[in-house]
């Protein structure tokens, strides 16, 4: 029996306010469905953050309905657990996945399902649990045991201390995972990872699209896509890469900016990609108006470019300031946390800054921070 493990598709995400990026996310999801049909898997196992927000745009719901219906018409199940992005922020509100049950989606919200083909496989899924109630999840995991005589799969969408060790970013440790499972299907982390865990395998499918520039290094090393999981005998996990819009971090030396930008243009032309790439630029040295104007030439070869870091050294006596190797996000986070904001609220504010084009999302996030909504 084969499963296709996917995760963190973030349908509805409009990165940098670009309609093309929202379309990229939908196209990538369609390609995953094509892959599942091509490989004739028994089920698609999606480990959370199907949508980018709990009230996704109509286009996202329509696309999800259409693609999941394609699966069910081929007799392939779509199993999903709620991620943190899918989770409603208002008490009593339904998960957006409930709408997709009419197309055949099966939401494993702290529940299980047994599939049978050449082997019997029991799959149990747990919804995302926030840090404040993580002890309840740990109790559930302690009481979760694999079933004898079948293959066992567990689905989770949680921060794990050994993988994401930053404060407030994890809810459980690897030691909290129940032993004896054949495959641990994990979401939440956007860079793929595969490792032995006990007698089974632990797989982080990652996001199939580049959702943040921090993912580019992992994308360059490990690609983006899905895991094809074969449970027929011993567990065999095969990563499958998708062809997505290229993104790259590139440094520009302001002392030779014309030459540097011309080199970037030549490089982008040589890639021969179907889609224009996205560039994230690091500026080394003091930028000038002339340099920034010359950078507009990049628009002919890229969909979008943005400056993510300034490595600037000011030597004037009246300034005597040195700023290097610091992102704008890091500076904002440090500023907010020093003024009493929690890391979670600081990250929400940074999300507002990075997604300022989405007025509705900005307003909702600000209301949440000041306590006007749950």
């Amino acid at each position: 029996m084969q499963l296709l493990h996917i995760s963190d598709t973030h349908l509805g995400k409009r990165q940098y306010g670009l309609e093309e990026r929202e379309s990229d996310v939908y196209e990538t999801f369609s390609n995953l469905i094509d892959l599942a049909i091509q490989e004739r898997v028994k089920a698609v196992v999606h480990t959370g953050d199907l949508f980018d927000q709990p009230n996704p745009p109509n286009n996202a719901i329509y696309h999800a309905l259409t693609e999941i219906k394609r699966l069910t018409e081929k007799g392939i199940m779509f199993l999903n657990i709620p991620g943190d992005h899918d989770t409603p922020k208002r008490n009593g509100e339904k998960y957006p996945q409930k709408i997709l049950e009419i197309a055949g989606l099966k939401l494993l919200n702290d529940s299980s399902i047994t599939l049978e083909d050449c082997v019997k496989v029991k799959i149990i899924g747990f919804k995302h649990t926030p840090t404040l109630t993580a002890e309840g999840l740990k109790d559930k995991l302690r009481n979760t045991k694999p079933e004898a005589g079948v293959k066992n799969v567990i689905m989770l969408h949680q921060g794990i201390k050994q993988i994401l060790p930053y404060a407030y970013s994890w809810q459980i440790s690897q030691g909290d995972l129940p032993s004896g499972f054949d495959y641990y299907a994990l979401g939440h982390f956007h860079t793929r990872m595969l490792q032995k865990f006990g007698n089974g395998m632990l797989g982080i499918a990652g996001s199939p699209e580049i959702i943040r520039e921090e993912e580019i290094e992992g994308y360059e090393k490990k690609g983006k896509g899905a895991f094809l999981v074969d449970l027929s005998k011993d567990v065999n996990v095969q990563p499958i890469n998708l062809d997505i819009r290229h993104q790259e971090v590139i440094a520009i030396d302001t002392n030779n900016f014309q030459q540097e930008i011309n080199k970037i243009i030549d490089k982008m032309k040589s890639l021969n990609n179907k889609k224009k790439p996205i560039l994230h630029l690091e500026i080394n040295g003091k930028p000038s108006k002339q340099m920034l104007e010359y950078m507009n030439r990049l628009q002919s070869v890229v969909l979008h470019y943005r400056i993510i870091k300034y490595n600037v050294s000011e030597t004037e006596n009246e300034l005597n300031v040195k700023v290097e190797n610091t992102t704008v996000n890091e500076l904002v986070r440090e500023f907010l946390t020093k003024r009493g904001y929690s890391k979670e609220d600081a990250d929400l504010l940074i999300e507002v800054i990075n997604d300022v084009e989405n007025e509705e999302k900005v307003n909702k996030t600000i209301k949440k921070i000041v306590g006007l909504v749950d």
Side-chain angles (χ1 to χ4, degrees), residues 151-164:
K151 297 288 187 180
N152 290 275
V153 175
I154 186 169
M155 300 167 62
L156 287 164
H157 187 99
Q158 299 295 151
I160 296 180
K161 182 177 182 180
Q162 289 76 8
I163 303 172
L164 199 63

Side-chain angles (χ1 to χ4, degrees), residues 104-318:
L105 178 143
K106 174 68 174 176
L107 189 62
L108 296 182
N109 195 341
D110 296 355
S111 58
S112 65
I113 188 172
T114 299
L115 309 179
E116 192 165 0
D117 199 347
C118 56
V119 296
K120 186 181 286 188
V121 177
K122 182 179 180 181
I123 303 174
I124 183 167
F126 292 93
K127 65 182 179 183
H128 171 78
T129 300
T131 304
L132 287 176
T133 55
E135 287 304 318
L137 173 62
K138 293 178 183 180
D139 288 339
K140 292 176 185 177
L141 293 177
R142 277 191 286 268
N143 293 321
T144 299
K145 309 296 181 186
E147 184 176 323
V150 305
K151 297 288 187 180
N152 290 275
V153 175
I154 186 169
M155 300 167 62
L156 287 164
H157 187 99
Q158 299 295 151
I160 296 180
K161 182 177 182 180
Q162 289 76 8
I163 303 172
L164 199 63
Y166 314 108
Y168 307 108
S169 62
W170 53 272
Q171 297 82 39
I172 61 174
S173 298
Q174 283 190 358
D176 296 314
L177 297 175
S179 61
F181 280 76
D182 296 282
Y183 185 64
Y184 297 78
L186 303 186
H188 191 55
F189 309 96
H190 284 194
T191 296
R192 285 194 299 191
M193 182 184 298
L194 185 65
Q195 64 183 46
K196 285 283 293 179
F197 191 80
N199 292 324
M201 296 294 294
L202 184 151
I204 297 170
S207 57
E209 265 287 344
I210 298 171
I211 304 300
R212 297 185 292 269
E213 73 270 8
E214 292 91 342
E215 302 166 30
I216 293 175
E217 182 180 359
Y219 154 70
E220 292 173 342
K221 293 178 179 178
K222 301 178 181 180
K224 288 281 191 181
F227 283 145
L228 186 63
V229 183
D230 191 343
L231 298 166
S232 302
K233 295 179 182 178
D234 294 332
V235 182
N236 182 273
V237 185
Q238 176 187 352
I240 299 179
N241 291 336
L242 296 179
D243 184 15
I244 64 172
R245 188 184 298 274
H246 181 72
Q247 297 195 36
E248 188 172 344
V249 177
I250 296 181
I252 294 178
D253 185 345
T254 59
N255 292 323
N256 303 295
F257 70 86
Q258 290 191 6
Q259 181 181 355
E260 299 270 325
I261 292 169
N262 289 338
K263 282 170 58 179
I264 293 172
I265 292 172
D266 290 341
K267 180 179 180 180
M268 295 303 107
K269 286 180 178 179
S270 70
L271 293 177
N272 294 321
N273 289 331
K274 296 178 183 177
K275 299 178 179 181
K276 286 185 176 181
I278 292 175
L279 297 184
H280 309 266
L281 304 176
E282 296 183 1
I283 307 300
N284 295 320
K286 187 176 180 180
S288 64
K289 180 180 178 181
Q290 183 184 10
M291 187 206 83
L292 295 174
E293 289 176 349
Y294 198 79
M295 282 174 60
N296 286 332
R297 298 188 64 217
L298 294 171
Q299 293 177 354
S300 64
V301 293
V302 302
L303 173 67
H304 181 68
Y305 70 87
R306 54 197 292 266
I307 298 172
I308 61 170
K309 186 183 294 186
Y310 286 99
N311 298 323
V312 181
S313 178
E314 293 283 2
T315 57
E316 289 88 346
N317 292 333
E318 65 272 18

Side-chain angles (χ1 to χ4, degrees), residues 25-43:
V25 170
Y26 298 145
E27 182 180 329
T28 297
F29 187 68
S30 296
N31 290 339
L32 290 169
I33 301 303
D34 288 340
L35 181 60
I37 294 171
Q38 174 187 323
E39 296 292 339
R40 300 179 181 180
V41 301
K42 184 71 175 178

